[in-house]
Structures are given as structure tokens and as C-alpha cells.
Amino acid sequence: MTPVEQLFTAFNTTADLLKEELSCTYLEALAETGENMFQGTVLQDELNEVAKKRLEKVYKDINLEAFSREDIRKGFQLAILKGMKEHVQPNHQMTPDSIGMFIGYLVNKFIDKKSFTLLDPAVGTGNLLATVLNQQTGKEIDSVGVEIDDLLIRLAFVNANLQKHPVEFFNQDSLEPLFVDPADAVICDLPVGYYPNDLRADTYEVKVKEGHTYSHHMFIEQSTKHAKDGGYLFFLIPNGLFESEQAPMLHEFIKKHLIVQGVLQLPSSLFKNKQAAKSILILQKNGEGVAAPKQALLAELPKLSDGPAVNRMLNKIDVWFQENKTTEK
Ligand code: SAM
């Protein structure tokens, strides 16, 4: 068995057992078993001795210290995917690895500080955040994750603990006032849809005069508010972001507060259909010494399985960096 398979098996057998014993869902049980593994003990007092012994045996046999963070992330991710099949949650899809890896690569390229802060205001299961963090080798990063769904944030919390990532979590609506310090970088797989609270939306610059405002537009505004001057923002956006009837307000907001560094269209093979296809939007918040690139980085990313095409793209991005990165970091 590969290390990821060993980890998945440990998460899976113990989550199945807890699901039965506690009469809860698989994902709830997964959060419980992850917490047990992190604490090194069985925390559920209501369990009978036999169940407790069976769990302890699995925990004893799997030595987390022997695995890399990426192995732990992938093993946990496989178990989450299994749980999500049981309960389909259309608005709670985990950010796929290939996209997370690419955002991680960009964060690495754009931010060359040795220590920085990172915010994900729609952290979900924490998979995107962990994928990005695991690629920033030799850097010290304090992160903040915000998520409205209490089960997802529990999974994100366990995920971060098992991988020993210092992350502060807030279980709340990110579009309500956020009490977090401005971050050097924001990453977000934007939740797309209408925001139901018009009173709150009224406090946003991207609000529409009539009807509900798009929550993804509000997320961009809120993220900008919580980024430092000169900070970078990496959003996973629907391809039609700038073409909707609400787009003029977003354009206005971006023009006033941000610089577009790039838009990278992801390969359509990653998505169910053309309408679902997404891009990565790279923005920088205005600030002293921040200048627009001579030309924004615009590209269509190749299929990630096409090695030579990916290499050509990475070279193209390198050339763009040499020609355009005028800002001091
Ligand atoms: N990157 C995440 C991951 O890897 O698991 C997935 C993000 S998912 C596409 C968007 C997330 O935004 C969902 O988990 C959803 O619950 C959350 N969300 C939606 N509206 C929100 C709000 N107003 N405040 C906080 N979180 C919200």
C-alpha cells in the first residue's frame, strides 16, 4: 500500500466504525476520528470498550509522524470525497488538487517574502489552503480560514492540525464584518450565487440597486478590504465573471482598488461542461509603489497531464515575470 492508501484506510475504517457507533454521518465521524488522531486518544466517552480498543489499535498502527503533509492531505481528502458522495453538497465542492497546485505555484511566484499571512475566506474543507501551504517550502505562514458551514470548518480544522499548519479558523458568514488582520495574500475558490441579505449587501460597493447582489462579487470586495496594501489576491472565478449584468459594479470596484495582474483560464477538461469552466484571477491591491504590469498575464492553461505543454506555459509565466514584475516585495 502507498502511504496515501495507508492513511486513507486508517481514516476510513475508523470513520466507518464511529459512524456506526455514534449514528452520525461519515463526514461527522471523519472529523471525530481526525480529532482523535491529532489528540492521540479516543475522545468519545460514549463508546463501548470493544469499539474503543478497535480504534486504539488503528491509531497505534498508524504513526502520523512518519508521513509527509501532502500524504496526510491526500489521504484525508480521499476520505472527504467518499463522505461527500454520501451527502451530495453542490455548494461545498472541494477545490481539486490540480487547481490548488497551480494556485500554490502562483502564490510562490508572486510572494517571495520569507514569512507572510494568508487568508482563505471560503476555506471549506481546507483542501485548497493546505495544497497551497504545502507548496511554500521554507516559508513561515500564518493563515486564517473562514467558513459558514460548521461541519466543513471542523474538517478544515482537523486537516490543518494533522498537517501541523498554524491556521486560525472562524466559523461565520465571511460577508458579515470580519475581525481579522489584513493579509499579505488572499486565496479563494469563490462561492458563486446570490447573497440573500440585501441589508448587508447595501454596505458593499458592488451592490446592485435592485434584487440580490452576487456573493462572489461581495467576496472579492471583502477580500480586498482584508488584504494589505500591495497584497495579492488569487481567486478561482467562473469564466463569465466579467460578462454578467452585475459586472459593471465589479469593474468599477476593481478599477478603483485593484490592479489586474493576470487571468489564467483553466483547461475545460477539468470541468463538467463549458458553463462550469473557471479561471484564476490574480489581483493586487493598490498601495505605495504598486504599479500595473506592462501587460497582464493572460493565458489558457494546458491540460495538466500534458507535461511538455505545462513546461512551455511555466516558461511563458517566467518570461512574463522577468518582463513585468516591477513592484518591490
Ligand atoms: N476551497 C474549499 C476547499 O478546498 O474545500 C472549497 C470552497 S467551496 C467552492 C466554497 C465554500 O464557501 C463552501 O464551503 C461554502 O460553504 C462557503 N461559503 C459560501 N458562502 C459563504 C459565506 N457567506 N461565508 C463563509 N463561507 C461561505
Side-chain angles (χ1 to χ4, degrees), residues 84 91-96 120-129 146-149 152 172-176 188-192 195 215 219 278:
M84 284 192 165
N91 297 318
H92 296 162
Q93 267 161 19
M94 247 193 297
T95 311
D120 182 345
V123 75
T125 61
N127 193 50
L128 170 65
L129 179 63
V146 191
E147 168 60 50
I148 200 163
D149 185 290
L152 293 179
Q172 67 157 91
D173 179 346
S174 291
L175 302 174
E176 293 285 338
C188 189
D189 180 351
L190 294 175
V192 174
Y195 189 60
S215 55
F219 261 89
K278 294 191 175 177

PDB file of all heavy atoms in Angstrom, residues 84 91-96 120-129 146-149 152 172-176 188-192 195 215 219 278, ligand 1:
ATOM      1  N   MET A  84     -18.485  12.922   0.849  1.00  0.00           N
ATOM      2  CA  MET A  84     -19.297  13.869   0.077  1.00  0.00           C
ATOM      3  C   MET A  84     -20.176  13.145  -0.937  1.00  0.00           C
ATOM      4  O   MET A  84     -21.206  13.672  -1.349  1.00  0.00           O
ATOM      5  CB  MET A  84     -18.403  14.898  -0.599  1.00  0.00           C
ATOM      6  CG  MET A  84     -17.908  15.926   0.405  1.00  0.00           C
ATOM      7  SD  MET A  84     -17.165  17.327  -0.376  1.00  0.00           S
ATOM      8  CE  MET A  84     -17.115  18.487   0.998  1.00  0.00           C
ATOM      9  N   ASN A  91     -22.819  23.035  -3.225  1.00  0.00           N
ATOM     10  CA  ASN A  91     -22.104  24.296  -2.998  1.00  0.00           C
ATOM     11  C   ASN A  91     -20.838  24.133  -2.175  1.00  0.00           C
ATOM     12  O   ASN A  91     -20.184  25.091  -1.829  1.00  0.00           O
ATOM     13  CB  ASN A  91     -23.017  25.304  -2.296  1.00  0.00           C
ATOM     14  CG  ASN A  91     -24.197  25.623  -3.177  1.00  0.00           C
ATOM     15  OD1 ASN A  91     -24.041  25.798  -4.376  1.00  0.00           O
ATOM     16  ND2 ASN A  91     -25.381  25.653  -2.592  1.00  0.00           N
ATOM     17  N   HIS A  92     -20.550  22.897  -1.844  1.00  0.00           N
ATOM     18  CA  HIS A  92     -19.413  22.660  -0.950  1.00  0.00           C
ATOM     19  C   HIS A  92     -18.351  21.821  -1.623  1.00  0.00           C
ATOM     20  O   HIS A  92     -17.773  20.946  -1.002  1.00  0.00           O
ATOM     21  CB  HIS A  92     -19.861  21.929   0.315  1.00  0.00           C
ATOM     22  CG  HIS A  92     -20.811  22.716   1.141  1.00  0.00           C
ATOM     23  ND1 HIS A  92     -21.608  22.159   2.092  1.00  0.00           N
ATOM     24  CD2 HIS A  92     -21.087  24.027   1.154  1.00  0.00           C
ATOM     25  CE1 HIS A  92     -22.349  23.094   2.655  1.00  0.00           C
ATOM     26  NE2 HIS A  92     -22.045  24.236   2.095  1.00  0.00           N
ATOM     27  N   GLN A  93     -18.153  22.035  -2.909  1.00  0.00           N
ATOM     28  CA  GLN A  93     -17.176  21.172  -3.552  1.00  0.00           C
ATOM     29  C   GLN A  93     -15.754  21.564  -3.180  1.00  0.00           C
ATOM     30  O   GLN A  93     -15.414  22.742  -3.178  1.00  0.00           O
ATOM     31  CB  GLN A  93     -17.357  21.224  -5.054  1.00  0.00           C
ATOM     32  CG  GLN A  93     -18.274  20.097  -5.496  1.00  0.00           C
ATOM     33  CD  GLN A  93     -18.865  20.338  -6.841  1.00  0.00           C
ATOM     34  OE1 GLN A  93     -18.371  21.143  -7.611  1.00  0.00           O
ATOM     35  NE2 GLN A  93     -19.950  19.656  -7.119  1.00  0.00           N
ATOM     36  N   MET A  94     -14.969  20.544  -2.879  1.00  0.00           N
ATOM     37  CA  MET A  94     -13.567  20.790  -2.566  1.00  0.00           C
ATOM     38  C   MET A  94     -12.854  21.302  -3.806  1.00  0.00           C
ATOM     39  O   MET A  94     -13.175  20.885  -4.919  1.00  0.00           O
ATOM     40  CB  MET A  94     -12.933  19.451  -2.192  1.00  0.00           C
ATOM     41  CG  MET A  94     -12.534  19.365  -0.771  1.00  0.00           C
ATOM     42  SD  MET A  94     -11.486  17.951  -0.492  1.00  0.00           S
ATOM     43  CE  MET A  94     -12.514  16.614  -0.885  1.00  0.00           C
ATOM     44  N   THR A  95     -11.882  22.153  -3.595  1.00  0.00           N
ATOM     45  CA  THR A  95     -11.107  22.625  -4.736  1.00  0.00           C
ATOM     46  C   THR A  95     -10.198  21.494  -5.206  1.00  0.00           C
ATOM     47  O   THR A  95      -9.424  20.955  -4.408  1.00  0.00           O
ATOM     48  CB  THR A  95     -10.257  23.847  -4.334  1.00  0.00           C
ATOM     49  OG1 THR A  95     -11.120  24.765  -3.659  1.00  0.00           O
ATOM     50  CG2 THR A  95      -9.619  24.496  -5.536  1.00  0.00           C
ATOM     51  N   PRO A  96     -10.296  21.101  -6.492  1.00  0.00           N
ATOM     52  CA  PRO A  96      -9.477  19.976  -6.960  1.00  0.00           C
ATOM     53  C   PRO A  96      -7.973  20.261  -6.839  1.00  0.00           C
ATOM     54  O   PRO A  96      -7.543  21.411  -6.939  1.00  0.00           O
ATOM     55  CB  PRO A  96      -9.861  19.850  -8.442  1.00  0.00           C
ATOM     56  CG  PRO A  96     -11.121  20.618  -8.599  1.00  0.00           C
ATOM     57  CD  PRO A  96     -11.164  21.650  -7.529  1.00  0.00           C
ATOM     58  N   ASP A 120      -8.033  32.631   3.612  1.00  0.00           N
ATOM     59  CA  ASP A 120      -8.996  31.998   2.710  1.00  0.00           C
ATOM     60  C   ASP A 120     -10.383  32.215   3.311  1.00  0.00           C
ATOM     61  O   ASP A 120     -10.743  31.568   4.299  1.00  0.00           O
ATOM     62  CB  ASP A 120      -8.693  30.494   2.543  1.00  0.00           C
ATOM     63  CG  ASP A 120      -9.663  29.837   1.554  1.00  0.00           C
ATOM     64  OD1 ASP A 120     -10.709  30.449   1.243  1.00  0.00           O
ATOM     65  OD2 ASP A 120      -9.389  28.712   1.109  1.00  0.00           O
ATOM     66  N   PRO A 121     -11.166  33.154   2.759  1.00  0.00           N
ATOM     67  CA  PRO A 121     -12.466  33.473   3.367  1.00  0.00           C
ATOM     68  C   PRO A 121     -13.586  32.482   3.040  1.00  0.00           C
ATOM     69  O   PRO A 121     -14.717  32.673   3.488  1.00  0.00           O
ATOM     70  CB  PRO A 121     -12.771  34.863   2.797  1.00  0.00           C
ATOM     71  CG  PRO A 121     -12.056  34.910   1.488  1.00  0.00           C
ATOM     72  CD  PRO A 121     -10.857  34.018   1.609  1.00  0.00           C
ATOM     73  N   ALA A 122     -13.292  31.450   2.233  1.00  0.00           N
ATOM     74  CA  ALA A 122     -14.291  30.397   1.981  1.00  0.00           C
ATOM     75  C   ALA A 122     -13.539  29.077   2.051  1.00  0.00           C
ATOM     76  O   ALA A 122     -13.415  28.353   1.071  1.00  0.00           O
ATOM     77  CB  ALA A 122     -14.949  30.587   0.619  1.00  0.00           C
ATOM     78  N   VAL A 123     -13.024  28.775   3.244  1.00  0.00           N
ATOM     79  CA  VAL A 123     -11.994  27.737   3.390  1.00  0.00           C
ATOM     80  C   VAL A 123     -12.533  26.322   3.199  1.00  0.00           C
ATOM     81  O   VAL A 123     -11.771  25.405   2.904  1.00  0.00           O
ATOM     82  CB  VAL A 123     -11.240  27.922   4.727  1.00  0.00           C
ATOM     83  CG1 VAL A 123     -12.064  27.465   5.913  1.00  0.00           C
ATOM     84  CG2 VAL A 123      -9.888  27.227   4.713  1.00  0.00           C
ATOM     85  N   GLY A 124     -13.853  26.131   3.337  1.00  0.00           N
ATOM     86  CA  GLY A 124     -14.444  24.799   3.107  1.00  0.00           C
ATOM     87  C   GLY A 124     -13.773  23.742   3.950  1.00  0.00           C
ATOM     88  O   GLY A 124     -13.643  23.872   5.172  1.00  0.00           O
ATOM     89  N   THR A 125     -13.290  22.683   3.302  1.00  0.00           N
ATOM     90  CA  THR A 125     -12.616  21.582   3.999  1.00  0.00           C
ATOM     91  C   THR A 125     -11.149  21.886   4.259  1.00  0.00           C
ATOM     92  O   THR A 125     -10.430  21.052   4.808  1.00  0.00           O
ATOM     93  CB  THR A 125     -12.635  20.323   3.118  1.00  0.00           C
ATOM     94  OG1 THR A 125     -11.924  20.638   1.894  1.00  0.00           O
ATOM     95  CG2 THR A 125     -14.033  19.888   2.769  1.00  0.00           C
ATOM     96  N   GLY A 126     -10.686  23.036   3.767  1.00  0.00           N
ATOM     97  CA  GLY A 126      -9.279  23.395   3.959  1.00  0.00           C
ATOM     98  C   GLY A 126      -8.362  22.783   2.921  1.00  0.00           C
ATOM     99  O   GLY A 126      -7.133  22.916   3.009  1.00  0.00           O
ATOM    100  N   ASN A 127      -8.937  22.107   1.921  1.00  0.00           N
ATOM    101  CA  ASN A 127      -8.067  21.415   0.963  1.00  0.00           C
ATOM    102  C   ASN A 127      -7.258  22.388   0.104  1.00  0.00           C
ATOM    103  O   ASN A 127      -6.056  22.204  -0.078  1.00  0.00           O
ATOM    104  CB  ASN A 127      -8.888  20.483   0.064  1.00  0.00           C
ATOM    105  CG  ASN A 127      -7.994  19.535  -0.707  1.00  0.00           C
ATOM    106  OD1 ASN A 127      -7.121  18.878  -0.135  1.00  0.00           O
ATOM    107  ND2 ASN A 127      -8.158  19.479  -2.027  1.00  0.00           N
ATOM    108  N   LEU A 128      -7.894  23.430  -0.382  1.00  0.00           N
ATOM    109  CA  LEU A 128      -7.146  24.414  -1.183  1.00  0.00           C
ATOM    110  C   LEU A 128      -6.055  25.059  -0.328  1.00  0.00           C
ATOM    111  O   LEU A 128      -4.893  25.141  -0.750  1.00  0.00           O
ATOM    112  CB  LEU A 128      -8.101  25.491  -1.728  1.00  0.00           C
ATOM    113  CG  LEU A 128      -7.419  26.705  -2.368  1.00  0.00           C
ATOM    114  CD1 LEU A 128      -6.643  26.295  -3.621  1.00  0.00           C
ATOM    115  CD2 LEU A 128      -8.444  27.785  -2.726  1.00  0.00           C
ATOM    116  N   LEU A 129      -6.433  25.478   0.864  1.00  0.00           N
ATOM    117  CA  LEU A 129      -5.460  26.137   1.747  1.00  0.00           C
ATOM    118  C   LEU A 129      -4.263  25.221   2.004  1.00  0.00           C
ATOM    119  O   LEU A 129      -3.107  25.637   1.875  1.00  0.00           O
ATOM    120  CB  LEU A 129      -6.147  26.531   3.070  1.00  0.00           C
ATOM    121  CG  LEU A 129      -5.261  27.204   4.104  1.00  0.00           C
ATOM    122  CD1 LEU A 129      -4.722  28.532   3.591  1.00  0.00           C
ATOM    123  CD2 LEU A 129      -6.029  27.437   5.413  1.00  0.00           C
ATOM    124  N   VAL A 146     -11.989  31.144   6.959  1.00  0.00           N
ATOM    125  CA  VAL A 146     -13.350  31.459   7.406  1.00  0.00           C
ATOM    126  C   VAL A 146     -14.313  30.586   6.605  1.00  0.00           C
ATOM    127  O   VAL A 146     -14.116  30.387   5.395  1.00  0.00           O
ATOM    128  CB  VAL A 146     -13.691  32.954   7.182  1.00  0.00           C
ATOM    129  CG1 VAL A 146     -14.999  33.322   7.895  1.00  0.00           C
ATOM    130  CG2 VAL A 146     -12.563  33.857   7.653  1.00  0.00           C
ATOM    131  N   GLU A 147     -15.328  30.066   7.292  1.00  0.00           N
ATOM    132  CA  GLU A 147     -16.276  29.178   6.617  1.00  0.00           C
ATOM    133  C   GLU A 147     -17.596  29.215   7.375  1.00  0.00           C
ATOM    134  O   GLU A 147     -17.630  29.194   8.598  1.00  0.00           O
ATOM    135  CB  GLU A 147     -15.684  27.758   6.562  1.00  0.00           C
ATOM    136  CG  GLU A 147     -16.615  26.655   6.149  1.00  0.00           C
ATOM    137  CD  GLU A 147     -17.222  26.833   4.753  1.00  0.00           C
ATOM    138  OE1 GLU A 147     -16.490  27.092   3.791  1.00  0.00           O
ATOM    139  OE2 GLU A 147     -18.466  26.707   4.651  1.00  0.00           O
ATOM    140  N   ILE A 148     -18.679  29.242   6.622  1.00  0.00           N
ATOM    141  CA  ILE A 148     -20.008  29.352   7.234  1.00  0.00           C
ATOM    142  C   ILE A 148     -20.540  27.994   7.709  1.00  0.00           C
ATOM    143  O   ILE A 148     -21.322  27.916   8.646  1.00  0.00           O
ATOM    144  CB  ILE A 148     -20.985  30.015   6.221  1.00  0.00           C
ATOM    145  CG1 ILE A 148     -22.202  30.601   6.926  1.00  0.00           C
ATOM    146  CG2 ILE A 148     -21.396  29.062   5.113  1.00  0.00           C
ATOM    147  CD1 ILE A 148     -22.967  31.597   6.076  1.00  0.00           C
ATOM    148  N   ASP A 149     -20.094  26.934   7.072  1.00  0.00           N
ATOM    149  CA  ASP A 149     -20.635  25.597   7.366  1.00  0.00           C
ATOM    150  C   ASP A 149     -19.853  24.972   8.518  1.00  0.00           C
ATOM    151  O   ASP A 149     -18.637  24.823   8.443  1.00  0.00           O
ATOM    152  CB  ASP A 149     -20.511  24.742   6.093  1.00  0.00           C
ATOM    153  CG  ASP A 149     -21.142  23.381   6.252  1.00  0.00           C
ATOM    154  OD1 ASP A 149     -20.582  22.541   7.009  1.00  0.00           O
ATOM    155  OD2 ASP A 149     -22.177  23.139   5.617  1.00  0.00           O
ATOM    156  N   LEU A 152     -17.925  21.563   7.686  1.00  0.00           N
ATOM    157  CA  LEU A 152     -16.744  21.759   6.829  1.00  0.00           C
ATOM    158  C   LEU A 152     -15.603  22.391   7.609  1.00  0.00           C
ATOM    159  O   LEU A 152     -14.445  21.986   7.480  1.00  0.00           O
ATOM    160  CB  LEU A 152     -17.095  22.623   5.610  1.00  0.00           C
ATOM    161  CG  LEU A 152     -18.049  21.986   4.606  1.00  0.00           C
ATOM    162  CD1 LEU A 152     -18.342  22.942   3.471  1.00  0.00           C
ATOM    163  CD2 LEU A 152     -17.478  20.690   4.052  1.00  0.00           C
ATOM    164  N   GLN A 172     -18.132  31.543  10.487  1.00  0.00           N
ATOM    165  CA  GLN A 172     -19.106  32.633  10.336  1.00  0.00           C
ATOM    166  C   GLN A 172     -19.335  32.941   8.861  1.00  0.00           C
ATOM    167  O   GLN A 172     -18.644  32.407   7.990  1.00  0.00           O
ATOM    168  CB  GLN A 172     -18.596  33.888  11.063  1.00  0.00           C
ATOM    169  CG  GLN A 172     -17.342  34.491  10.431  1.00  0.00           C
ATOM    170  CD  GLN A 172     -17.167  35.976  10.769  1.00  0.00           C
ATOM    171  OE1 GLN A 172     -16.529  36.291  11.751  1.00  0.00           O
ATOM    172  NE2 GLN A 172     -17.718  36.881   9.946  1.00  0.00           N
ATOM    173  N   ASP A 173     -20.292  33.798   8.616  1.00  0.00           N
ATOM    174  CA  ASP A 173     -20.520  34.321   7.271  1.00  0.00           C
ATOM    175  C   ASP A 173     -19.413  35.341   6.991  1.00  0.00           C
ATOM    176  O   ASP A 173     -19.314  36.356   7.678  1.00  0.00           O
ATOM    177  CB  ASP A 173     -21.912  34.982   7.267  1.00  0.00           C
ATOM    178  CG  ASP A 173     -22.251  35.598   5.913  1.00  0.00           C
ATOM    179  OD1 ASP A 173     -21.347  35.748   5.076  1.00  0.00           O
ATOM    180  OD2 ASP A 173     -23.438  35.940   5.720  1.00  0.00           O
ATOM    181  N   SER A 174     -18.620  35.091   5.983  1.00  0.00           N
ATOM    182  CA  SER A 174     -17.478  35.972   5.680  1.00  0.00           C
ATOM    183  C   SER A 174     -17.900  37.342   5.194  1.00  0.00           C
ATOM    184  O   SER A 174     -17.080  38.255   5.133  1.00  0.00           O
ATOM    185  CB  SER A 174     -16.606  35.357   4.589  1.00  0.00           C
ATOM    186  OG  SER A 174     -15.969  34.240   5.088  1.00  0.00           O
ATOM    187  N   LEU A 175     -19.157  37.454   4.802  1.00  0.00           N
ATOM    188  CA  LEU A 175     -19.596  38.734   4.256  1.00  0.00           C
ATOM    189  C   LEU A 175     -20.156  39.649   5.348  1.00  0.00           C
ATOM    190  O   LEU A 175     -20.433  40.815   5.119  1.00  0.00           O
ATOM    191  CB  LEU A 175     -20.605  38.512   3.125  1.00  0.00           C
ATOM    192  CG  LEU A 175     -20.018  37.659   1.984  1.00  0.00           C
ATOM    193  CD1 LEU A 175     -21.076  37.335   0.946  1.00  0.00           C
ATOM    194  CD2 LEU A 175     -18.831  38.356   1.332  1.00  0.00           C
ATOM    195  N   GLU A 176     -20.283  39.107   6.556  1.00  0.00           N
ATOM    196  CA  GLU A 176     -20.559  39.934   7.734  1.00  0.00           C
ATOM    197  C   GLU A 176     -19.204  40.498   8.169  1.00  0.00           C
ATOM    198  O   GLU A 176     -18.161  40.027   7.701  1.00  0.00           O
ATOM    199  CB  GLU A 176     -21.132  39.039   8.860  1.00  0.00           C
ATOM    200  CG  GLU A 176     -22.508  38.457   8.572  1.00  0.00           C
ATOM    201  CD  GLU A 176     -23.620  39.490   8.704  1.00  0.00           C
ATOM    202  OE1 GLU A 176     -23.416  40.501   9.402  1.00  0.00           O
ATOM    203  OE2 GLU A 176     -24.681  39.291   8.084  1.00  0.00           O
ATOM    204  N   CYS A 188      -8.991  32.207  -2.728  1.00  0.00           N
ATOM    205  CA  CYS A 188     -10.404  31.854  -2.521  1.00  0.00           C
ATOM    206  C   CYS A 188     -11.006  31.197  -3.760  1.00  0.00           C
ATOM    207  O   CYS A 188     -10.942  31.745  -4.856  1.00  0.00           O
ATOM    208  CB  CYS A 188     -11.208  33.107  -2.154  1.00  0.00           C
ATOM    209  SG  CYS A 188     -12.886  32.737  -1.644  1.00  0.00           S
ATOM    210  N   ASP A 189     -11.572  30.021  -3.540  1.00  0.00           N
ATOM    211  CA  ASP A 189     -12.396  29.365  -4.546  1.00  0.00           C
ATOM    212  C   ASP A 189     -13.789  29.936  -4.282  1.00  0.00           C
ATOM    213  O   ASP A 189     -14.495  29.492  -3.375  1.00  0.00           O
ATOM    214  CB  ASP A 189     -12.327  27.844  -4.306  1.00  0.00           C
ATOM    215  CG  ASP A 189     -13.154  27.053  -5.295  1.00  0.00           C
ATOM    216  OD1 ASP A 189     -13.916  27.664  -6.072  1.00  0.00           O
ATOM    217  OD2 ASP A 189     -13.047  25.807  -5.280  1.00  0.00           O
ATOM    218  N   LEU A 190     -14.146  30.966  -5.030  1.00  0.00           N
ATOM    219  CA  LEU A 190     -15.322  31.770  -4.702  1.00  0.00           C
ATOM    220  C   LEU A 190     -16.627  30.984  -4.724  1.00  0.00           C
ATOM    221  O   LEU A 190     -16.907  30.291  -5.708  1.00  0.00           O
ATOM    222  CB  LEU A 190     -15.458  32.921  -5.712  1.00  0.00           C
ATOM    223  CG  LEU A 190     -14.377  33.991  -5.717  1.00  0.00           C
ATOM    224  CD1 LEU A 190     -14.634  34.967  -6.868  1.00  0.00           C
ATOM    225  CD2 LEU A 190     -14.316  34.725  -4.390  1.00  0.00           C
ATOM    226  N   PRO A 191     -17.433  31.108  -3.658  1.00  0.00           N
ATOM    227  CA  PRO A 191     -18.781  30.550  -3.744  1.00  0.00           C
ATOM    228  C   PRO A 191     -19.595  31.443  -4.679  1.00  0.00           C
ATOM    229  O   PRO A 191     -19.616  32.662  -4.514  1.00  0.00           O
ATOM    230  CB  PRO A 191     -19.297  30.623  -2.310  1.00  0.00           C
ATOM    231  CG  PRO A 191     -18.390  31.524  -1.570  1.00  0.00           C
ATOM    232  CD  PRO A 191     -17.161  31.771  -2.376  1.00  0.00           C
ATOM    233  N   VAL A 192     -20.221  30.841  -5.659  1.00  0.00           N
ATOM    234  CA  VAL A 192     -20.906  31.627  -6.683  1.00  0.00           C
ATOM    235  C   VAL A 192     -22.413  31.591  -6.451  1.00  0.00           C
ATOM    236  O   VAL A 192     -22.972  30.522  -6.209  1.00  0.00           O
ATOM    237  CB  VAL A 192     -20.570  31.050  -8.082  1.00  0.00           C
ATOM    238  CG1 VAL A 192     -21.380  31.747  -9.162  1.00  0.00           C
ATOM    239  CG2 VAL A 192     -19.077  31.199  -8.363  1.00  0.00           C
ATOM    240  N   TYR A 195     -26.388  36.641  -2.916  1.00  0.00           N
ATOM    241  CA  TYR A 195     -26.320  36.768  -1.461  1.00  0.00           C
ATOM    242  C   TYR A 195     -27.700  37.206  -0.971  1.00  0.00           C
ATOM    243  O   TYR A 195     -28.213  38.241  -1.402  1.00  0.00           O
ATOM    244  CB  TYR A 195     -25.256  37.803  -1.092  1.00  0.00           C
ATOM    245  CG  TYR A 195     -24.964  37.855   0.386  1.00  0.00           C
ATOM    246  CD1 TYR A 195     -24.490  36.735   1.063  1.00  0.00           C
ATOM    247  CD2 TYR A 195     -25.151  39.024   1.111  1.00  0.00           C
ATOM    248  CE1 TYR A 195     -24.213  36.783   2.412  1.00  0.00           C
ATOM    249  CE2 TYR A 195     -24.879  39.074   2.465  1.00  0.00           C
ATOM    250  CZ  TYR A 195     -24.408  37.956   3.115  1.00  0.00           C
ATOM    251  OH  TYR A 195     -24.129  37.998   4.463  1.00  0.00           O
ATOM    252  N   SER A 215     -22.893  37.049  -4.487  1.00  0.00           N
ATOM    253  CA  SER A 215     -21.992  36.864  -3.339  1.00  0.00           C
ATOM    254  C   SER A 215     -20.536  36.807  -3.808  1.00  0.00           C
ATOM    255  O   SER A 215     -19.644  37.269  -3.096  1.00  0.00           O
ATOM    256  CB  SER A 215     -22.365  35.619  -2.543  1.00  0.00           C
ATOM    257  OG  SER A 215     -22.399  34.505  -3.362  1.00  0.00           O
ATOM    258  N   PHE A 219     -17.541  38.767  -2.158  1.00  0.00           N
ATOM    259  CA  PHE A 219     -16.335  38.093  -1.652  1.00  0.00           C
ATOM    260  C   PHE A 219     -15.069  38.798  -2.151  1.00  0.00           C
ATOM    261  O   PHE A 219     -14.091  38.916  -1.416  1.00  0.00           O
ATOM    262  CB  PHE A 219     -16.314  36.617  -2.076  1.00  0.00           C
ATOM    263  CG  PHE A 219     -16.776  35.696  -0.982  1.00  0.00           C
ATOM    264  CD1 PHE A 219     -18.113  35.370  -0.847  1.00  0.00           C
ATOM    265  CD2 PHE A 219     -15.880  35.161  -0.082  1.00  0.00           C
ATOM    266  CE1 PHE A 219     -18.553  34.538   0.165  1.00  0.00           C
ATOM    267  CE2 PHE A 219     -16.291  34.332   0.937  1.00  0.00           C
ATOM    268  CZ  PHE A 219     -17.637  34.020   1.062  1.00  0.00           C
ATOM    269  N   LYS A 278     -13.753  27.447 -15.258  1.00  0.00           N
ATOM    270  CA  LYS A 278     -13.276  28.522 -14.380  1.00  0.00           C
ATOM    271  C   LYS A 278     -11.887  29.014 -14.765  1.00  0.00           C
ATOM    272  O   LYS A 278     -11.168  28.356 -15.527  1.00  0.00           O
ATOM    273  CB  LYS A 278     -13.246  28.023 -12.932  1.00  0.00           C
ATOM    274  CG  LYS A 278     -14.637  27.750 -12.438  1.00  0.00           C
ATOM    275  CD  LYS A 278     -14.714  27.517 -10.965  1.00  0.00           C
ATOM    276  CE  LYS A 278     -16.178  27.380 -10.574  1.00  0.00           C
ATOM    277  NZ  LYS A 278     -16.385  27.086  -9.203  1.00  0.00           N
TER     278      LYS A 278
HETATM  279  N1  SAM B   1     -11.551  25.764  -1.139  1.00  0.00           N
HETATM  280  C1  SAM B   1     -12.525  24.947  -0.448  1.00  0.00           C
HETATM  281  C2  SAM B   1     -11.983  23.544  -0.246  1.00  0.00           C
HETATM  282  O1  SAM B   1     -10.894  23.220  -0.775  1.00  0.00           O
HETATM  283  O2  SAM B   1     -12.667  22.740   0.429  1.00  0.00           O
HETATM  284  C3  SAM B   1     -13.833  24.875  -1.194  1.00  0.00           C
HETATM  285  C4  SAM B   1     -14.526  26.174  -1.298  1.00  0.00           C
HETATM  286  S1  SAM B   1     -16.198  25.987  -1.869  1.00  0.00           S
HETATM  287  C5  SAM B   1     -16.068  26.198  -3.560  1.00  0.00           C
HETATM  288  C6  SAM B   1     -16.919  27.476  -1.305  1.00  0.00           C
HETATM  289  C7  SAM B   1     -17.169  27.486   0.199  1.00  0.00           C
HETATM  290  O3  SAM B   1     -17.691  28.754   0.570  1.00  0.00           O
HETATM  291  C8  SAM B   1     -18.160  26.459   0.672  1.00  0.00           C
HETATM  292  O4  SAM B   1     -17.536  25.642   1.626  1.00  0.00           O
HETATM  293  C9  SAM B   1     -19.277  27.275   1.327  1.00  0.00           C
HETATM  294  O5  SAM B   1     -19.831  26.666   2.476  1.00  0.00           O
HETATM  295  C10 SAM B   1     -18.545  28.559   1.676  1.00  0.00           C
HETATM  296  N2  SAM B   1     -19.391  29.758   1.776  1.00  0.00           N
HETATM  297  C11 SAM B   1     -20.414  30.124   0.980  1.00  0.00           C
HETATM  298  N3  SAM B   1     -20.911  31.303   1.371  1.00  0.00           N
HETATM  299  C12 SAM B   1     -20.189  31.703   2.440  1.00  0.00           C
HETATM  300  C13 SAM B   1     -20.222  32.838   3.292  1.00  0.00           C
HETATM  301  N4  SAM B   1     -21.102  33.817   3.087  1.00  0.00           N
HETATM  302  N5  SAM B   1     -19.314  32.929   4.281  1.00  0.00           N
HETATM  303  C14 SAM B   1     -18.416  31.948   4.505  1.00  0.00           C
HETATM  304  N6  SAM B   1     -18.344  30.834   3.735  1.00  0.00           N
HETATM  305  C15 SAM B   1     -19.212  30.718   2.716  1.00  0.00           C
END
